[in-house]
Amino acid sequence: MNIIEIENLTKRFKNNVALDNVSLTIRKGEVFGLLGPNGAGKTTLIRLLIGLIKPTSGTARIQYDGLGPFDIKKDMMKIRQKASLLPQEAEVYENLTAKENIMYYGQIYGNMPNGEVHQRTEDLIDMIGLRGRENDVTKEFSGGMKRKVLVARALVMDPDLIFLDEPTTGIDILGARTVRNLIKRLAKELHKTVILTTHDLTEVEELCDRVGILVKGKLAAIGTPDELEEQFTQAHLEDVFIGLTTGEGVLEGDLPTKPKRGVISRLLRRR
Ligand SMILES: Nc1ncnc2c1ncn2[C@@H]1O[C@H](COP(=O)(O)OP(=O)(O)OP(=O)(O)O)[C@@H](O)[C@H]1O
Ligand SMILES: [Mg+2]
C-alpha cells in the first residue's frame, strides 16, 4: 500500500524554485531516504508533506490504514494525527528535563491516556540511551544529547508516519548507532514508515529501502541503493550522488563488475 502519493509538487519562494515538479510514491513500512546537496529541497519537501507550508502547485495525498486519503493542502490536522516530525532545526525546552520534554510533547500530540504517555516516555529514555540523565534540565545537555531528546520526542506519540530531518547529525558514533537501530526497529518490527534525510551515505546503505536524490529541487534519481548503483554503473552510491549533483552526469565506474553489498559498505566506512 502507498502511504504517500506525491503528484507534480512544486514550491516556489519568490523567484527561487525550492521543489520542482516532483512526483513519487512512498510505501507503507519502508525507510525512504531523501538525499541531495544543501539547498536541494529536502526539508521543503518534508515541510510540505506534513502541512507546515503550502505548495505553489501540485499536491500529495497521505493514506493511513483505514483512514484517508488526506490532501496536504487542506487536511493538515488529520495528517498530523498519525504523523510526526523531527525538524532539522528543532530545539528542546531548555528549562525542562529530558523526561518532561518528551512527556510534554506526548501530552499535546499523543491522543492517548497519561499513563501510556508516561510508559512510552520511560521506554524511549531507555531506547535512546538517556537513562540516568532523564531528570536533568536539558540546558545542561550537549548538542548530541539534546538531539536524542528530540528523536524521542518525535516518537512518543506513536506515529505511523515519521519524518526525521537529519536525525543523527551531531550525535556521536554510539548514539547514531542507537538511533539507526531504533529506526530499523520502527520499520521492520512495528511497520512504521520512516522518511529521513541525511548526508551520511553509510547510513543510507544501512537503513534505507529506497532513496530519492534531489538536485536543485528536481528528483534526479530514485530506487534502492543497489538499483541506483546498477543503473548508473557505479560501485558506490557516493559516485552516483557526485555524478548527479555536479551536473557532469555519471561517469563509467572504474570497477568492471559490481562488488557485493558488504564490500560497498566496508569501502564507504573506511573513508
Ligand atoms: N522559508 C523560505 N524562504 C525562502 N526560501 C526558502 C525557504 N525555505 C527554503 N528556502 C529555499 O529553498 C531551497 C531548498 O531549501 P531546503 O531547506 O529545502 O534544502 P535542503 O535540501 O533541506 O538543504 P540542507 O541539506 O542544507 O538542509 C533553498 O534554496 C532555500 O534557500
Ligand atoms: Mg534541510
Side-chain angles (χ1 to χ4, degrees):
M1 184 188 114
N2 291 334
I3 187 164
I4 306 182
E5 294 189 346
I6 303 172
E7 257 175 41
N8 306 110
L9 201 57
T10 295
K11 178 67 183 178
R12 229 173 254 123
F13 294 106
K14 296 189 187 126
N15 296 328
N16 182 5
V17 185
L19 205 67
D20 192 355
N21 205 26
V22 167
S23 299
L24 70 105
T25 56
I26 306 228
R27 299 170 198 140
K28 180 181 184 285
E30 75 176 336
V31 180
F32 189 90
L34 276 174
L35 301 185
N38 295 135
K42 305 178 295 295
T43 298
T44 300
L45 177 55
I46 286 178
R47 288 168 62 82
L48 283 164
L49 291 177
I50 204 159
L52 290 175
I53 52 175
K54 298 280 177 232
T56 308
S57 61
T59 194
R61 283 174 301 277
I62 294 181
Q63 173 144 31
Y64 302 117
D65 282 338
L67 276 182
F70 301 122
D71 190 315
I72 57 162
K73 285 186 290 197
K74 46 182 207 280
D75 299 326
M76 178 203 182
M77 294 311 287
K78 288 177 185 147
I79 289 169
R80 288 300 290 257
Q81 281 174 10
K82 286 184 175 282
S84 181
L85 164 68
L86 166 64
Q88 186 173 6
E89 311 288 351
E91 288 186 16
V92 292
Y93 295 102
E94 294 222 310
N95 291 324
L96 300 183
T97 67
K99 191 195 265 183
E100 287 165 348
N101 261 284
I102 302 166
M103 278 198 67
Y104 176 60
Y105 215 70
Q107 281 157 349
I108 299 176
Y109 294 105
N111 197 24
M112 57 176 74
N114 241 350
E116 200 177 330
V117 173
H118 195 264
Q119 188 56 53
R120 287 189 60 80
T121 301
E122 292 295 332
D123 292 347
L124 282 163
I125 286 167
D126 285 325
M127 279 192 242
I128 209 89
L130 283 170
R131 182 62 66 200
R133 299 299 302 268
E134 71 272 24
N135 293 318
D136 294 346
V137 286
T138 48
K139 69 167 152 251
E140 296 169 1
F141 278 16
S142 71
M145 287 163 69
K146 287 180 187 166
R147 199 79 188 141
K148 287 186 188 175
V149 172
L150 292 167
V151 172
R153 195 183 81 171
L155 300 177
V156 67
M157 63 171 280
D158 197 21
D160 284 352
L161 176 59
I162 304 156
F163 296 97
L164 301 171
D165 202 348
E166 301 197 16
T168 53
T169 299
I171 297 186
D172 66 30
I173 291 169
L174 214 59
R177 171 148 297 276
T178 304
V179 171
R180 282 202 292 271
N181 286 340
L182 193 55
I183 294 171
K184 275 190 221 162
R185 259 189 75 191
L186 288 169
K188 302 297 164 254
E189 292 172 26
L190 304 170
H191 312 291
K192 310 289 189 185
T193 308
V194 181
I195 295 167
L196 64 89
T197 74
T198 179
H199 293 290
D200 179 345
L201 292 176
T202 314
E203 187 160 293
V204 170
E205 293 246 348
E206 185 182 333
L207 278 185
C208 296
D209 299 307
R210 289 191 307 146
V211 295
I213 300 180
L214 283 174
V215 181
K216 295 182 183 154
K218 287 193 164 74
L219 187 65
I222 184 168
T224 66
D226 280 350
E227 278 168 4
L228 291 182
E229 286 161 1
E230 208 142 307
Q231 184 184 342
F232 294 101
T233 57
Q234 296 293 318
H236 307 179
L237 193 58
E238 187 174 21
D239 295 323
V240 176
F241 183 87
I242 289 169
L244 285 168
T245 53
T246 53
E248 291 165 9
V250 180
L251 304 168
E252 282 293 312
D254 314 327
L255 294 163
T257 53
K258 190 175 168 306
K260 290 208 168 57
R261 182 63 171 279
V263 178
I264 297 174
S265 302
R266 274 203 298 284
L267 283 169
L268 280 167
R269 240 171 246 133
R270 224 184 286 146
R271 296 178 188 183

